[in-house]
Amino acid sequence: MAGTFITFEGGEGAGKSTQIRRLAARLETLGLEVVTTREPGGSPGAEAIREVLLSGKAKALGPLVEATLFAAARIDHVANTIRPALERGAVVLCDRFTDSTRVYQGDGDGVDAKTVAELERIAVDDVRPGLTLILDLPVEVALERIAARRGDENPDRFEGEADAVHRRRREAFLTIAENEPERCAVIDASGDEDTVAGRIWAAVAGRLELPAGTSPAEARHG
């Protein structure tokens, strides 16, 4: 496909949504079409499933059912949002994708790896990211960010897990990055937004063959 598919992964509170917005804005100044999306969600059918998953209503049905619901949402998302955008040459930035299913429902909830892999195969076919940015943050810092962000609101199904669960997820993401270095780049998500955005731009510019130190205006006119 003509487009570029970039996924953002990492634990809760790593700042993925903020950095996706910043990267999208910077890429758009280069004249690129950018589509930002998320999982679960990103298409009408998938957004309906998102409400069920994040509310925690599906948790009682067991991890296999949750994993299957994620796959169902992904099928709709890929077919109606991601694939069409890539086919017309857009840059697609997605907040979570298949790696999150591996970490949350596979390593975290105990759905066996073969089942996770088969659900992934059915859901995505040949639509796979060319670059995955794993935003890495110490769990203590991440939990502080989550608490500050939500204020008096209750945590969602995944934010409210025990500290040990968040630590296990962090290690699982880092293991994926270690096993697939050609696809994954680990981004230190500590520090202020500008600093993290600079680290992300360096990784993305290399993949898109843009000068890492070039400003958007210079790249556009260069």
Side-chain angles (χ1 to χ4, degrees), residues 196-211:
V196 177
R199 294 167 183 157
I200 289 172
W201 181 254
V204 172
R207 187 57 57 100
L208 297 181
E209 298 183 351
L210 299 170

Side-chain angles (χ1 to χ4, degrees), residues 166-181:
H166 289 286
R167 291 190 177 88
R168 187 169 66 243
R169 290 173 185 160
R170 182 191 185 193
E171 292 305 314
F173 277 119
L174 292 175
T175 298
I176 289 172
E178 183 179 353
N179 291 338
E180 300 185 53

